Amino acid sequence: MTAISVENLTQSFGRRTVLDRICFDVAAGQFFIIIGPNGSGKTTLLKLLTGLLSAQDGDITVMGRCLKDYNPRALAQQVAYVPQNVLVEFPFSVTEVVLMGRAPHLGMLGVETPEDLELAQEAMMITDIIHLADRRLDELSGGERQRVLIARAICQRPRILLLDEPTSALDLAHQARIMDLMETLKNDHGITVVMISHELNLAAMYADQVLVLSRGQIACMGAPDQVLNKELLERVYECNLMVDMSSVGNYPRVHLVPKRFLR
Ligand code: ADP
């Protein structure tokens, strides 16, 4: 089954075309990682998939249904979004923020049940923020806040998780924990994970499919060992790289080559 289908998606801001007739499918239960240089259109693409931004042209289908035909509650039952950063305007506690994930599932009165609280606790445990439960979001470090947003999305119990650079502020142990968690959600619960990442080596180890965006177009899409090759990455990122095979599993591993090593 196809979780997300994108056809001829085009988005411009003013006269600048940021996404140019993009077409791709994400199969249900895949770990799908989007990479590409700054400004290539990754966040715009993810925002279009969440429905936060409406597409100027083209079609997006989510779980077999046109994105435009979903009401916000029905869409939030299918899709959870972890943005790159959130403005914290109110001093919500971590528990309150994580519980917001339950909003699309609450009854008419909008009151959380003991089961909702249990799901929030579980989401906080697996993202290692249970010790922060009563702290205010605006007092946390960037990495802690990032884990709170991931917990909120998990608490939402979606079929599809869309994450915009969710590991960018995380230390190595928490990066591994979040990537392993996404893999478990995929393997044990069939959840489709679509993630933007600049961590090419994490993409190599975890992704089923890698999509490379370059200047608003798809430069390449395929399994990590097909996509993460020196020629393509050097062309897209415009820098010098070396790609070898990792001794942990048999994955491509990408290294930057500093200028002083170039002849
Ligand atoms: P990426 O996530 O790959 O870094 P973005 O999707 O954030 O790229 O941005 C792609 C391009 O679109 C950038 O040049 C950015 O400045 C521009 N852009 C994004 N959002 C807006 C907006 N709301 N208004 C005008 N330009 C925008």
Side-chain angles (χ1 to χ4, degrees), residues 33-241:
I33 298 190
I34 302 169
I35 64 170
N38 295 140
S40 55
K42 302 180 299 297
T43 295
T44 304
L45 173 59
L46 214 62
K47 281 186 181 162
L48 288 165
L49 297 182
T50 64
L52 280 176
L53 204 61
S54 30
Q56 270 159 351
D57 208 0
D59 294 306
I60 301 172
T61 309
V62 173
M63 304 303 275
R65 188 170 156 195
C66 184
L67 184 62
K68 291 182 198 132
D69 294 340
Y70 280 93
N71 65 46
R73 182 179 161 95
L75 186 62
Q77 289 170 357
Q78 298 289 339
V79 180
Y81 174 49
V82 178
Q84 224 173 92
N85 38 44
V86 282
L87 283 174
V88 189
E89 288 177 19
F90 302 100
F92 288 115
S93 75
V94 167
T95 303
E96 284 168 332
V97 173
V98 175
L99 266 174
M100 286 172 194
R102 298 309 300 155
H105 302 281
L106 299 182
M108 296 267 280
L109 296 176
V111 180
E112 289 111 8
T113 63
E115 194 196 333
D116 293 316
L117 288 168
E118 242 171 64
L119 289 172
Q121 293 265 335
E122 191 192 325
M124 289 191 282
M125 295 281 279
I126 58 179
T127 50
D128 192 28
I129 54 165
I130 195 77
H131 59 292
L132 304 171
D134 299 322
R135 296 272 301 277
R136 282 169 45 162
L137 191 66
D138 57 354
E139 290 172 353
L140 302 184
S141 77
E144 289 166 341
R145 208 177 294 174
Q146 214 161 25
R147 274 145 50 214
V148 175
L149 298 181
I150 296 168
R152 181 180 67 177
I154 288 167
C155 189
Q156 199 172 321
R157 294 284 164 126
R159 301 303 309 149
I160 301 173
L161 263 170
L162 305 176
L163 308 106
D164 197 345
E165 292 187 43
T167 61
S168 61
L170 301 187
D171 60 50
L172 284 178
H174 284 111
Q175 276 185 24
R177 189 172 180 140
I178 293 301
M179 296 303 282
D180 287 340
L181 173 60
M182 294 302 138
E183 192 165 73
T184 304
L185 292 172
K186 175 194 105 164
N187 289 339
D188 296 356
H189 302 281
I191 291 176
T192 308
V193 181
V194 179
M195 177 186 288
I196 295 176
S197 181
H198 282 300
E199 303 286 344
L200 303 188
N201 294 325
L202 288 183
M205 287 189 286
Y206 287 92
D208 296 308
Q209 291 275 298
V210 177
L211 184 153
V212 188
L213 261 190
S214 173
R215 301 169 196 262
Q217 295 190 324
I218 297 177
C220 191
M221 183 176 138
D225 56 350
Q226 294 170 328
V227 170
L228 299 173
N229 64 73
K230 178 177 156 70
E231 291 69 30
L232 177 96
L233 295 176
E234 283 193 334
R235 178 162 53 79
V236 167
Y237 284 97
E238 298 177 19
C239 63
N240 295 293
L241 300 168

